[in-house]
């Protein structure tokens, strides 16, 4: 009820009763507004999906590349090991000693590795013949510290003439030296000191 004062007397209240129906003023419950994807959001989602595919493919490619490199390294290590077994002189350090099998001989051949040749090739004189060239840079140098001359090994690998397969210093051929390319080192084996107390 609402009380109002009369406009004439200002003393007599006027009572007005208003009845309202709760149902007539109640508004129906509406679901929360749905957020609709915009063109920008759809484009952003497409970019995200595209990047995910790209990075997944890139990761697979990197993994494959890594596996291939590991396999190549394993193969290289195996080949290096086999090369060391087949031609140990190629991996020698200065001072290492090598030998080879000499048929029909009671003496042993013993060569000591000196190092790699650093002298550029030049015309070499062998018994008055100047048509030979001294060893190439990188060839292996040995000196004889055994009882068998280099000639036996020269025969095996074809390291003739002497002028073409000897070491040079200051333009002069060093006597009792052998300078050969890596391809001629396959017959050399690592020398193992004789142990008198060992059972052979």
């Amino acid at each position: 009820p609402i009380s109002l004062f009369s406009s004439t007397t200002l003393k007599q209240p006027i009572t007005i009763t208003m009845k309202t129906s709760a149902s007539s003023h109640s508004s129906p419950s509406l679901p929360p507004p749905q957020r609709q994807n915009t063109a920008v959001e759809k484009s952003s989602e497409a970019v995200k999906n595209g990047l995910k595919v790209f990075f997944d493919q890139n990761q697979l490619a990197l993994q494959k590349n890594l596996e291939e490199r590991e396999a190549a390294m394993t193969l290289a290590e195996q080949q290096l090991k086999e090369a060391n077994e087949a031609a140990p002189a190629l991996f020698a350090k200065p001072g290492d000693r090598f030998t080879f099998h000499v048929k029909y001989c009671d003496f042993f051949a013993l060569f000591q590795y000196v190092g790699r040749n650093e002298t550029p090739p030049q015309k070499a004189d062998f018994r008055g013949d100047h048509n030979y060239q001294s060893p190439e840079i990188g060839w292996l140098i040995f000196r004889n510290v055994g009882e068998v001359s280099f000639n036996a090994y020269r025969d095996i690998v074809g390291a003739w003439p002497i002028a073409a397969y000897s070491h040079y210093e200051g333009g002069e051929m060093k006597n009792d030296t052998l300078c050969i390319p890596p391809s001629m080192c396959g017959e050399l084996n690592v020398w193992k000191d004789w142990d008198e107390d060992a059972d052979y």
Side-chain angles (χ1 to χ4, degrees), residues 27-167:
S27 58
S29 58
L30 298 176
Q34 297 292 329
R35 182 180 179 183
Q36 297 181 355
N37 290 331
T38 64
V40 174
E41 291 173 335
K42 292 181 179 179
S43 176
S44 176
E45 189 68 20
V47 171
K48 290 180 181 179
N49 293 335
L51 288 176
K52 183 178 184 303
V53 172
F54 171 77
F55 285 119
D56 289 345
Q57 292 177 345
N58 192 42
Q59 185 176 5
L60 290 175
L62 290 175
Q63 181 66 26
K64 182 179 179 181
N65 182 263
L66 179 61
E67 293 174 354
E68 291 177 350
R69 291 182 61 183
E70 290 177 349
M73 290 179 63
T74 301
L75 178 60
E77 291 175 355
Q78 180 63 26
Q79 292 175 337
L80 187 64
K81 179 181 178 182
E82 294 173 353
N84 191 10
E85 295 174 352
L90 300 182
F91 304 88
K93 300 182 297 296
D96 289 350
R97 295 184 296 175
F98 298 88
T99 186
F100 68 97
H101 178 65
V102 183
K103 293 182 179 180
Y104 315 114
C105 184
D106 294 332
F107 301 98
F108 64 89
L110 185 59
F111 305 158
Q112 187 175 52
Y113 177 69
V114 177
R116 297 274 183 160
N117 179 44
E118 298 179 354
T119 304
Q122 57 190 3
K123 287 292 183 180
D125 181 16
F126 180 68
R127 297 179 180 177
D129 191 342
H130 299 277
N131 294 323
Y132 298 102
Q133 181 174 278
S134 63
E136 299 281 347
I137 293 177
W139 285 16
L140 288 79
I141 307 169
F142 299 90
R143 68 184 186 91
N144 195 349
V145 294
E147 300 174 352
V148 178
S149 71
F150 281 128
N151 292 346
Y153 192 77
R154 291 182 187 275
D155 288 339
I156 293 175
V157 299
W160 294 101
I162 293 176
Y165 295 94
S166 295
H167 182 50

